[in-house]
Amino acid sequence: MLQRFSASADAGVSTAMKGIGSDKEAILDLVTGRSNAQRQEIVQAYKSSYGQDLVDDLKYELTGKFERLIVSLMRSQAYHDAKEIHDAIEGAGTDEKCLIEVLASRNNQQIHDLVEAYSQDAYGSDIEEDLTGESSGHFKKMLVVLLQGTRDEPGVVHADLVEEDAQVLFAAGEEQWGTEESIFIMLLGNRSVDHLQMVFDKYQEIAEKPIEDSIKSELSGDFERLMLAVVQCIRSVPMYFAKRLYKSMKGLGTQDNTLIRIMICRSEIDMLDIRECFRMCYEKSLYNMIKEDTSGDYKRTLLALCGGDDDLAGEFFPEAAQLAYKMWEISAMTKVQLRPTIRPASDFDPADDAQNLRKAMKGFGTDEDIIIDIVANRSNEQRQEIRQAFKSILGRDLMKDLKSELSKNLERLIIGLMLTPAEFDAKMMRKAMEGAGTDEHALIEILVTRSNEEIHAMNAAYQAGYKKSMEDAIQSDTSGRFSQILTSLVQGAREQGPADWDRALVDAQELADACNEDSDDMEIKFMSILCTRSFPHLRRVFQEFVRCSNKDIEQIIKKEMSGDVKQAMYGIVLSVKNQPNYFAERLYKAMKCMGTDDRALIRIMVSRSEVDLFNIRKEFKETHDCSLHEFIQVETMVGETSGDYRKTLLILCGGED
């Protein structure tokens, strides 16, 4: 903040709007260098000195996104919130995401201020009437509850009701057929933040999963999204906004309204905490993402509001450290029910399927629809019975027939489905290492996500298929510490069982101490723990690492390691933290760039379809605001990747979310 503030002196900004063109730099520097309260004084001083409305003059002189941003900064926060609500419900369609964000994240006083600004300063109408006219059902009821601004004040905890509230929420959702939405509305709309944080912890103990998972399974549509936003804001408002900012800038096109709204409303409240949460969750700082995603004076203004680059930052701020610790604690306590998208077909007849497959490939032309319908709608175990029946009844090798009749990506996908999981993994490892270049990402993905039993089966299949051990193949194709990490993982000797609390504390301290050693010693210590301990144990280790070092394990790996070693260690951490989310991100990266990485797409869709592809779908939708089904439809429409290949992928995907 600049010292010796003078509203009348700053009102001289009018000189920046005189003559030919505007001095945008002067406007930018002045507006971003003042608090919102000071800007309101400048607006008043400008009118007193020049008899003109500063906001109107800025609208006239500036254009585009820069104009929207500067004009929004010149309004009071309450007026800006009121305008956002009004714009969200005005016109043909309602912007439910804006309504959810504003009403779920504001405290009581902010809600009261925006209600007053809406009715008295901005639009002269009743915000509740306007809002209820554009919404319906439980979504409308929860919006009305939030609009009252009557949540218990911070610090108010009804200790005798914490467990009871958790039990009531559990009974209203998970324990019965159908959901009592009114219970969720009443408790989540009125209890204090501190009280609900304790309720959520108790709920996790009772349900063995976070309340977010119950909301996702029990509620739907805009009501589900609203309740999830409320829960996220109860847990951490900065984390909620960090995720909203990321979604506003990732992918093709920037959601500028969301970006502007958040940068303005949080710049004087918790932007430092948001930056820290952003750094903790994503592979870049908020500053650098804005820098890469925007341009011109608009970019310069946003960067001024952001306030700094955190890519080189080290330790957490206190709130971010507590949040990181809590996130690992939730990860450690959650029991995830893995759900496939492909299940065994009922009334299965391998002989009949074998005969139908032969008919589809016999004569002139191939009936791909029949092949896809059979292969993609059977479990892998059933497909192996079909392979055997095909040879027993027809005396032919089904795999050879399929290879001769199909081509390109459809052939690769169908053949992948017909292999056993061990054969398929072995083939994918082979493909990752053959030829001129090595696909390190594929090697990491497979070895960090497979169980000991799966790795042993893959080793046997590799030896049988290629007459060479997979360990020898890895050591021939990779080198250095990265080769050592892969060799460790390919033993399939990771410890099993729950976390050992005492040992987790020792492991966490050893990792923290290793961060102060030279890079070789650090990598050796990290490898000795991350490649051998069980996943439940590592969750506790990573949780305690935050306490020991005031840093997050992901940030340390990204900052202190490099190359393939960094990618391998990072892959282990992400898989430990949330394996379905790890695969969701791998799928997104496989499809988002110019040209689809079909090998990665096929590998994940085939290998996870009978394991956890439904969970992956849910993570994909939550992270990217787009269903995996829709993403596949859009991203596989070009050239040879279209048609039957896309159809098969969508069957494996299992449905639209």
Side-chain angles (χ1 to χ4, degrees), residues 5-13 41-42 45-46 49-50:
F5 166 69
S6 169
S8 55
D10 284 345
V13 73
E41 291 186 51
I42 294 170
Y46 188 90
S49 299
Y50 304 104

Side-chain angles (χ1 to χ4, degrees), residues 14-24 27 60-61:
S14 60
T15 59
M17 295 186 286
K18 287 182 178 178
I20 300 174
S22 302
D23 187 347
K24 294 180 181 178
I27 296 171
Y60 180 80
E61 293 292 336

Side-chain angles (χ1 to χ4, degrees), residues 312-587:
L312 300 178
E315 296 186 352
F316 281 131
F317 295 149
E319 180 174 341
Q322 293 170 13
L323 185 58
Y325 187 87
K326 189 67 179 179
M327 287 171 63
W328 280 113
E329 183 178 48
I330 292 172
S331 176
M333 293 176 64
T334 301
K335 292 187 178 181
V336 179
Q337 180 185 358
L338 301 181
R339 298 173 62 185
T341 55
I342 299 296
R343 299 179 184 276
S346 58
D347 301 323
F348 170 63
D349 185 340
D352 188 52
D353 282 348
Q355 294 280 12
N356 287 328
L357 283 171
R358 178 58 187 153
K359 290 177 185 176
M361 294 184 282
K362 191 176 181 180
F364 184 75
T366 303
D367 192 335
E368 287 87 356
D369 287 340
I370 290 178
I371 296 173
I372 293 168
D373 186 58
I374 292 174
V375 175
N377 288 292
R378 304 292 185 270
S379 69
N380 190 272
E381 186 175 328
Q382 289 175 332
R383 294 184 205 118
Q384 304 317 308
E385 293 186 53
I386 296 170
R387 282 176 69 177
Q388 186 58 53
F390 199 89
K391 182 166 285 189
S392 299
I393 297 170
L394 302 167
R396 300 177 67 89
D397 188 311
L398 176 56
M399 304 298 272
K400 289 182 179 178
D401 283 3
L402 287 169
K403 287 179 181 178
S404 69
E405 295 295 328
L406 305 175
S407 64
K408 298 181 180 178
N409 284 323
L410 179 62
E411 177 208 333
R412 299 182 189 104
L413 180 53
I414 293 296
I415 292 298
L417 288 166
M418 292 304 304
L419 294 169
T420 67
E423 290 171 337
F424 181 70
D425 279 347
K427 183 176 181 179
M428 293 297 99
M429 290 291 289
R430 174 78 170 185
K431 290 289 184 183
M433 293 184 282
E434 72 178 4
T438 303
D439 186 348
E440 292 85 2
H441 289 291
L443 298 178
I444 293 167
E445 175 201 300
I446 295 170
L447 290 177
V448 305
T449 60
R450 302 306 192 257
S451 68
N452 289 347
E453 293 75 16
E454 289 168 333
I455 290 174
H456 296 157
M458 176 172 48
N459 278 328
Y462 197 97
Q463 181 72 52
Y466 306 109
K467 310 308 177 187
K468 182 178 183 179
S469 77
M470 190 152 60
E471 181 178 332
D472 286 345
I474 287 171
Q475 291 177 350
S476 297
D477 206 66
T478 60
S479 61
R481 188 82 63 219
F482 180 58
S483 183
Q484 293 172 5
I485 293 170
L486 297 184
T487 300
S488 175
L489 294 172
V490 84
Q491 305 310 306
R494 186 178 291 282
E495 297 169 2
Q496 303 298 298
D500 179 331
W501 263 105
D502 292 337
R503 192 181 180 203
L505 291 171
V506 173
D507 286 345
Q509 189 60 59
E510 288 186 1
L511 290 176
D513 292 342
C515 294
N516 299 318
E517 299 174 1
D518 64 51
S519 59
D520 281 347
D521 290 341
M522 178 183 176
E523 288 174 0
I524 291 170
K525 177 55 67 177
F526 270 62
M527 185 179 79
S528 70
I529 293 175
L530 270 65
C531 293
T532 62
R533 306 294 195 262
S534 72
F535 276 22
H537 182 83
L538 285 175
R539 291 186 188 104
R540 291 300 186 186
V541 172
F542 298 158
Q543 178 187 354
E544 291 305 318
F545 180 83
V546 176
R547 192 193 300 275
C548 292
S549 66
N550 197 34
K551 299 171 184 175
D552 185 74
I553 194 80
E554 295 174 55
Q555 295 299 326
I556 286 295
I557 289 171
K558 286 189 286 188
K559 183 180 178 183
E560 301 295 337
M561 298 183 185
S562 61
D564 296 328
V565 172
K566 178 177 78 171
Q567 293 304 322
M569 291 297 180
Y570 196 55
I572 293 171
V573 172
L574 294 181
S575 190
V576 168
K577 191 174 189 177
N578 184 336
Q579 196 166 99
N581 184 263
Y582 172 68
F583 279 117
E585 287 305 296
R586 294 284 297 144
L587 283 169

